[in-house]
Amino acid sequence: MNNLKLITVSGLPGSGKSTLAECIAKALKIPVFSVDPIESSILKSGIPRSFETGLAAYLVAETLAAEQLKLRSSVVLDAVSAVKEARQMWRDLAEKYGAQWVVIECVLEPVLHRQRIESRVRKIHGIPEVTWEDVERSRKEYLPWDQERLVLDSADAIEKNLEKARIFIDAFQ
C-alpha cells in the first residue's frame, strides 16, 4: 500500500488555496510548500520580480518537495498551477518518487471572489497585492484540468472543505 502523496492545491489567485493547503498540511502533519513566499524570498535577495522569479519559485518548490518525497514524506504544494508545464512538473515529480498525485482545485464564484480580492491584504515582500484585473488575466491562461481532482467551493466553511479534502486524500490508497 502506497501512502506517499504529492498533494497539489491549485486555483486562481485569491481562491482560498493557501488557506486550505495550510489546513491540510497541519491536519496531516506534513510540510507545505507555497510558491508566493518562495518567490518573495527570491525577491529579498535583490533580484527584480519577473517571469523568471516566478518560474524559480516553482522550481524551488519542486526541489523542496522532491527532498521530502525522497525521504518518503508526503507534501502539499500550494500553487496556482495554471499551465500545462506546471502541472506536468507535479505529475513527473509524483511519478519519479512513486507518490500518488492528489489534485485539489479551489474555486469561488466571481462576485465573492472579487470581494475577497479587494479586501485582502497579504503583505508578502516584493509581491504586490493581487488585483481583480490580475485574477482575470490568470483566468485567461488557467487551463481546465484533465487530471482527476476534487473541486472545492471556497465559499463553504474551511472545516467543511478540509473534511472533504481529507476524505478525498484518504481515498488514494
Side-chain angles (χ1 to χ4, degrees), residues 4-166:
L4 187 64
K5 295 177 178 66
L6 174 65
I7 303 163
T8 302
V9 181
S10 93
L12 290 171
S15 63
K17 68 188 163 305
S18 295
T19 300
L20 181 63
E22 290 168 4
C23 288
I24 291 170
K26 185 176 181 180
L28 299 179
K29 295 177 176 47
I30 59 176
V32 60
F33 300 111
S34 180
V35 169
D36 286 350
I38 292 170
E39 184 175 11
S40 176
S41 293
I42 294 167
L43 299 173
K44 284 179 186 176
S45 76
I47 298 171
R49 187 168 192 230
S50 64
F51 170 82
E52 287 77 13
T53 59
L55 175 58
Y58 271 80
L59 293 172
V60 169
E62 176 192 34
T63 300
L64 294 171
E67 290 299 310
Q68 294 302 304
L69 291 169
K70 184 169 62 176
L71 297 171
R72 310 305 294 162
S73 174
S74 295
V75 297
V76 178
L77 290 166
D78 166 19
V80 172
S81 303
V83 297
K84 66 180 179 180
E85 294 83 1
R87 295 173 185 184
Q88 190 63 49
M89 180 187 302
W90 309 141
R91 180 180 284 115
D92 291 347
L93 187 61
E95 286 177 12
K96 180 177 182 177
Y97 292 97
Q100 298 165 334
W101 187 33
V102 181
V103 178
I104 300 172
E105 182 180 23
C106 294
V107 298
L108 199 53
E109 66 85 16
V111 172
L112 181 55
H113 194 169
R114 185 172 188 158
Q115 289 172 351
R116 286 188 181 179
I117 287 292
E118 291 176 348
S119 66
R120 87 175 183 170
V121 179
R122 295 186 314 158
K123 294 184 180 177
I124 298 177
H125 175 84
I127 300 179
E129 297 298 335
V130 175
T131 66
W132 185 245
E133 292 73 27
D134 296 330
V135 172
E136 289 299 315
R137 272 192 299 280
S138 290
R139 187 184 314 278
K140 288 177 185 166
E141 73 172 9
Y142 193 92
L143 298 174
W145 278 92
D146 61 1
Q147 171 76 21
E148 177 188 358
R149 72 196 185 289
L150 173 65
V151 178
L152 292 175
D153 183 345
S154 294
D156 293 339
I158 187 63
E159 297 82 10
K160 179 179 176 184
N161 281 337
L162 177 59
E163 181 180 341
K164 288 179 183 178
R166 295 274 314 258

